[in-house]
Amino acid sequence: MFNPSRLTLARQRRGFTKTRLAMEVDVAVRSITAYEAGMTVPKGETIQRLSKILAFPDSFFFADDIEAPNPEGVSFRSLKSMTAGKRDAALGASALAIELSSWIDKGFSLPDPNLPDLQDDEPEAAAEAVRADWGLGEKPVRNVVHLLEAHGVRVFSLAEECLEVDAFSFWRNGIPYVFLNTKKSGERSRLDAAHELGHLVLHRHDLPRSRDIEREAQRFAGAFLMPRSSVLANVSGLVTVPKLIKLKHIWNVSVTALTYRLHELNVLTDWQYRTLFKELSTRGYRKSEPDPCQRETSQVYAKVFKLLRQEGIDKRSIAKALHVTPDEINTFMFGLAFLSIEGGNQSEVVSSSAKPNLQLVPSTRG
């Protein structure tokens, strides 16, 4: 049976308005409205055109409901600067990513979520509490994505249609999800991941979005990646831009994030802070990171893909099970390659009776 909610999801996922979709499919706008309201079922040839225009298999429109996350529970940075279309595209992408996550969970035993609820803590104290709870001490975090995954967070990359969105996170059925923009520098993506961790532990209970909430998450991120005692132990003397570039590699953060943190810890005076930021702007370092680090990717999907290949299961099998295209799977996978297996069983899925237990290693360094 044709599922109207899936048409709405597909349209929003691609960033189409009803008017644009109607023009592309060559039907009246009222027809699209009727299809999505369940008042009329599109004819077979219309479904084929919808499938082609929206880049979803015909079967996608006949599968079970997919519920997109409630915008009120999603940590979008600023809805004022985000169009409704971009918001809906991001929510549509996240709904499909949740479907993929659920499929992986049926075949593999991933770590249970292990995030403390710190809604009553100040950001600095909350960052210290998470580090203590996870046994990190003052060590720099080598890979934030790996660390989050090791503690039960499901981390996905943002789809191309959603790249205007920095990053966002939410809780769904007791599972935390984080979505990261992979077009940003490695340092900025790490800060975004820590920022979203801040939302997950500080704002778990759907607090209203505000600038204060965003500042709390950003303060958490700085304190989590650059612990006070670690920074004070490594920074002394006159701070210059060349020195910042050298120091940033200790914590793999951007020069702007490090400058902000040094000012927050009173290592820099107001005048030094303004002077350094002016020089960073002049050199273009606020937009283009000097001596950038490598972008982080997922260890979960790398291990899942490896095990699936051993079972003769390729990307097309997963896409078929989820009623999407293989390219759709790619958008959430941080660009990881999933090699096709010639001669494999293309319809096979992972058996839930023998779920491999993935061993995920929290990434820190001494």
Side-chain angles (χ1 to χ4, degrees), residues 12 15 82-90:
Q12 293 177 339
M82 185 187 306
T83 65
K86 294 300 181 185
R87 179 203 64 194
D88 290 343

Side-chain angles (χ1 to χ4, degrees), residues 311-323:
E311 294 292 327
I313 301 169
D314 70 358
K315 183 171 56 181
R316 286 172 293 178
S317 303
I318 304 174
K320 182 178 180 180
L322 298 177
H323 307 286

Side-chain angles (χ1 to χ4, degrees), residues 11-42:
R11 176 178 62 78
Q12 293 177 339
R13 167 71 180 86
R14 300 298 180 226
F16 279 31
T17 62
K18 292 180 181 178
T19 300
R20 179 184 171 188
L21 181 58
M23 291 178 60
E24 295 282 351
V25 180
D26 194 23
V27 298
V29 176
R30 63 177 179 273
S31 295
I32 298 296
T33 299
Y35 300 155
E36 293 190 7
M39 299 171 60
T40 305
V41 176

Side-chain angles (χ1 to χ4, degrees), residues 6-253:
R6 286 226 169 201
L7 174 58
T8 302
L9 176 64
R11 176 178 62 78
Q12 293 177 339
R13 167 71 180 86
R14 300 298 180 226
F16 279 31
T17 62
K18 292 180 181 178
T19 300
R20 179 184 171 188
L21 181 58
M23 291 178 60
E24 295 282 351
V25 180
D26 194 23
V27 298
V29 176
R30 63 177 179 273
S31 295
I32 298 296
T33 299
Y35 300 155
E36 293 190 7
M39 299 171 60
T40 305
V41 176
K43 296 179 180 179
E45 61 183 21
T46 303
I47 292 175
Q48 290 179 359
R49 292 200 298 272
L50 288 168
S51 174
K52 181 178 180 180
I53 296 299
L54 296 175
F56 283 98
D58 290 1
S59 63
F60 179 84
F61 301 103
F62 293 87
D64 294 337
D65 288 345
I66 299 179
E67 183 182 356
N70 185 340
E72 295 302 316
V74 178
S75 68
F76 289 126
R77 300 288 172 89
S78 176
L79 288 179
K80 291 183 179 180
S81 61
M82 185 187 306
T83 65
K86 294 300 181 185
R87 179 203 64 194
D88 290 343
L91 291 173
S94 64
L96 296 176
I98 291 172
E99 287 287 290
L100 174 58
S101 179
S102 297
W103 187 91
I104 292 173
D105 284 339
K106 291 177 182 177
F108 298 89
S109 293
L110 301 184
D112 292 329
N114 175 29
L115 277 65
D117 186 349
L118 303 171
Q119 64 169 335
D120 297 324
D121 286 27
E122 291 295 320
E124 186 95 19
E128 293 174 357
V130 174
R131 277 184 157 271
D133 192 59
W134 289 358
L136 302 179
E138 301 297 325
K139 297 178 181 179
V141 177
R142 183 175 64 201
N143 191 306
V144 183
V145 171
H146 290 188
L147 181 65
L148 295 182
E149 290 180 328
H151 291 278
V153 181
R154 308 310 194 242
V155 187
F156 292 95
S157 56
L158 280 170
E160 291 183 2
E161 293 85 349
C162 311
L163 289 181
E164 289 81 1
V165 182
D166 285 331
F168 63 91
S169 59
F170 54 85
W171 286 87
R172 178 74 169 265
N173 297 327
I175 297 176
Y177 293 87
V178 167
F179 291 79
L180 299 174
N181 185 328
T182 56
K183 296 301 182 181
K184 301 174 76 172
S185 70
E187 290 87 349
R188 294 177 188 275
S189 184
R190 282 168 55 84
L191 190 69
D192 281 345
H195 181 107
E196 297 309 322
L197 174 60
H199 278 307
L200 292 172
V201 300
L202 289 169
H203 312 133
R204 182 171 180 172
H205 303 286
D206 296 341
L207 294 178
R209 284 181 298 273
S210 68
R211 290 184 178 180
D212 288 342
I213 294 299
E214 289 305 316
R215 279 194 288 265
E216 286 180 4
Q218 199 67 0
R219 286 176 57 204
F220 173 95
F224 184 77
L225 292 179
M226 297 168 278
R228 176 187 298 269
S229 60
S230 177
V231 172
L232 296 179
N234 283 280
V235 181
S236 60
L238 179 66
V239 178
T240 62
V241 170
K243 189 172 184 176
L244 285 171
I245 296 174
K246 182 179 180 180
L247 286 169
K248 81 186 190 82
H249 292 292
I250 298 175
W251 304 281
N252 273 347
V253 296

